Amino acid sequence: MTVVGAGNVGATCADVLAYKEIANEIVVLDIKEGVAEGKSLDIWQKAPINQYDSRTIGVTNDYVATAGSEVVVITSGLPRKPGMTRDDLIQTNAGIVKSVTESIVQHSPDAIIIVVSNPLDVMTYQAHMSSGKSRNHVIGMAGILDTARYRAFLASELNISTKEIQAILMGGHGDTMVPLPRYTTVAGIPVTELIDSDKLDAIIERTKFGGGELVKLMGTSAWYAPGSAAAQMVEAIVKDQRRVFPVCIKLEGEYGIDDCYLGVPVILGKNGVEKVLELHLNDSEKAMLETSRTHVKEVMDVLNKLNE
Ligand SMILES: NC(=O)c1ccc[n+]([C@@H]2O[C@H](COP(=O)([O-])OP(=O)(O)OC[C@H]3O[C@@H](n4cnc5c(N)ncnc54)[C@H](O)[C@@H]3O)[C@@H](O)[C@H]2O)c1
C-alpha cells in the first residue's frame, strides 16, 4: 500500500492505516526530501504506545519502494488557501497528479488508485486518463468526507451519537454537491421527523461550505477527516467489505450522465467499485445533479485545454 504526499492529508491517512492495521507495510512517498521519512518514523514510533504492528516506510520520490502496491492513495498537490476555490488549484495539481499516476502505474500496474488531490472530480479524471485503467480502479474521495461533515453537524444539533446517523450525498466535491435529506435517517427514523426544515436547510448549507469554513479558520484545508475518509476507502477495498459509500467515478450512462466524474453511491470491495447504485431521484434532486454535472464538465474542459 502506498500513500503519495506526506503532507497533512497523506500523513493522517498513513497514520490511520497503520493504527487500524489495514496493511502490514505502508510506503509514504513525497517529493520533499526527508518529510515522508520523518513522518513515517514518527508514526512507527507511536506503534509501541498505541499497540499496532503496521510499519510505515517513508521515501523521497522513490517509486521502486512502492512497487506491487495493491492500493495507492494520491494526496500530493497544493491545498487551498483562504479566498481560493478548489478549482484554482487545477493547473499545478493536474501536472502533479499526471506524473504521480504514470509512476504508480509503471511500478504497481494492478493498483487501485484513490485520488484525494483537488479539484477532486477533475483530478480523478486526470488520474483515470493517465492510468489507462478501468473506471472501477481509479476513484476519488470526497463523498465520505462531505457526508461525515453532514452527519457530524446533525449529531451536534440532535445531541446524539454520530453512529446513529446514516446519510448519503452526491455530485461534485464543492458548493454544487447534492444533499439528499430524503435518504438521511437517524437509527432508521427519517431525519425530517426529528429536525425542522429550517435547521436542516442550515446544516445542508454549512455542509456545502464545510471545507471553506475550515480553510478560513486554519489558513489551509482540513486533514483529519479527509485522511480518515481515504483510509476508510482503502479498508473497504483491502478487506473486501462491500461497503456503500459515495465515491467519485466516471459515469457511463448512470443517472442519464455520460463521460463525467461525479460522486455517486457505490459498493466498494476488492475490485474497487463493484457496482454503481442508481437512486430514484426526484425532479429537484435531478436538477441539482445536473448543476453539479455542468460545473464539473466546465472544469474538465479547462483540464482538456491544459492537456492540449
Ligand atoms: N478530496 C478531498 O475531500 C480533500 C480534502 C482535503 C484536502 N484535499 C486536497 O488534498 C491535497 C493535499 O492536501 P494537504 O493538506 O495534505 O496538502 P499539504 O501541502 O500538506 O501536502 C501536500 C504534499 O504533497 C507533496 N507533493 C507535491 N508534489 C508532489 C509530487 N510530485 N510527488 C509527491 N509528493 C508531492 C508536497 O511536498 C506536500 O508534502 C490538496 O490538493 C488538497 O486540496 C482534498
Side-chain angles (χ1 to χ4, degrees):
M1 188 161 307
T2 293
V3 179
V4 181
N8 286 334
V9 178
T12 305
C13 180
D15 185 25
V16 175
L17 291 172
Y19 185 60
K20 294 183 80 180
E21 296 188 315
I22 290 165
N24 293 335
E25 189 179 289
I26 302 141
V27 177
V28 185
L29 180 147
D30 202 285
I31 203 165
K32 263 190 238 153
E33 188 87 43
V35 173
E37 289 84 342
K39 290 194 183 179
S40 298
L41 189 57
D42 192 14
I43 294 170
W44 174 233
Q45 288 170 356
K46 195 161 66 66
I49 303 167
N50 284 342
Q51 299 280 293
Y52 52 82
D53 290 319
S54 295
R55 189 88 195 232
T56 40
I57 296 161
V59 294
T60 303
N61 229 16
D62 173 14
Y63 281 88
V64 174
T66 71
S69 292
E70 274 176 62
V71 183
V72 176
V73 182
I74 303 180
T75 74
S76 46
L78 297 183
R80 276 196 286 171
K81 298 281 170 235
M84 289 174 94
T85 70
R86 293 177 178 92
D87 299 344
D88 293 335
L89 304 168
I90 188 168
Q91 187 155 6
T92 312
N93 286 357
I96 293 173
V97 168
K98 181 173 187 289
S99 73
V100 164
T101 305
E102 287 167 356
S103 302
I104 288 166
V105 172
Q106 194 188 338
H107 292 88
S108 302
D110 299 326
I112 293 174
I113 297 175
I114 299 171
V115 180
V116 179
S117 313
N118 272 320
L120 188 274
D121 309 284
V122 179
M123 290 306 103
T124 307
Y125 170 40
Q126 176 69 71
H128 188 209
M129 260 193 303
S130 306
S131 71
K133 286 173 171 285
S134 62
R135 68 167 181 161
N136 56 318
H137 282 179
V138 185
I139 53 185
M141 186 295 291
I144 295 181
L145 172 65
D146 294 331
T147 308
R149 285 178 174 150
Y150 176 54
R151 290 165 65 199
F153 296 148
L154 283 170
S156 299
E157 177 61 36
L158 294 166
N159 195 18
I160 54 167
S161 165
T162 55
K163 294 191 189 93
E164 302 299 350
I165 299 172
Q166 294 290 317
I168 196 114
L169 293 165
M170 288 175 59
H173 182 44
D175 317 345
T176 65
M177 72 178 73
V178 181
L180 296 170
R182 277 196 312 130
Y183 293 99
T184 306
T185 60
V186 179
I189 306 160
V191 72
T192 42
E193 292 193 19
L194 301 177
I195 192 164
D196 345 315
S197 63
D198 288 359
K199 283 201 175 129
L200 187 55
D201 288 348
I203 285 173
I204 287 169
E205 272 315 286
R206 189 173 177 198
T207 304
K208 283 187 184 175
F209 298 96
E213 180 180 354
L214 292 168
V215 173
K216 215 165 150 191
L217 287 167
M218 304 190 295
T220 188
S221 54
W223 58 90
Y224 293 115
S228 300
Q232 192 169 45
M233 287 174 71
V234 175
E235 183 176 25
I237 294 167
V238 172
K239 296 187 181 168
D240 193 22
Q241 289 175 325
R242 300 186 68 85
R243 293 203 61 185
V244 175
F245 290 131
V247 158
C248 177
I249 184 170
K250 180 185 185 193
L251 293 183
E252 293 179 343
E254 295 90 354
Y255 296 93
I257 297 173
D258 213 14
D259 202 20
C260 187
Y261 292 73
L262 283 171
V264 288
V266 306
I267 299 174
L268 206 55
K270 67 176 186 307
N271 301 305
V273 169
E274 306 281 354
K275 190 176 182 199
V276 174
L277 302 179
E278 282 200 75
L279 309 180
H280 297 287
L281 301 182
N282 63 28
D283 288 347
S284 104
E285 291 157 352
K286 280 184 194 156
M288 283 190 278
L289 191 60
E290 176 53 22
T291 305
S292 211
R293 184 199 71 83
T294 308
H295 177 73
V296 172
K297 268 286 194 190
E298 279 166 13
V299 190
M300 283 172 67
D301 288 343
V302 173
L303 182 70
N304 290 337
K305 291 213 175 73
L306 287 172
N307 281 331
E308 267 169 22

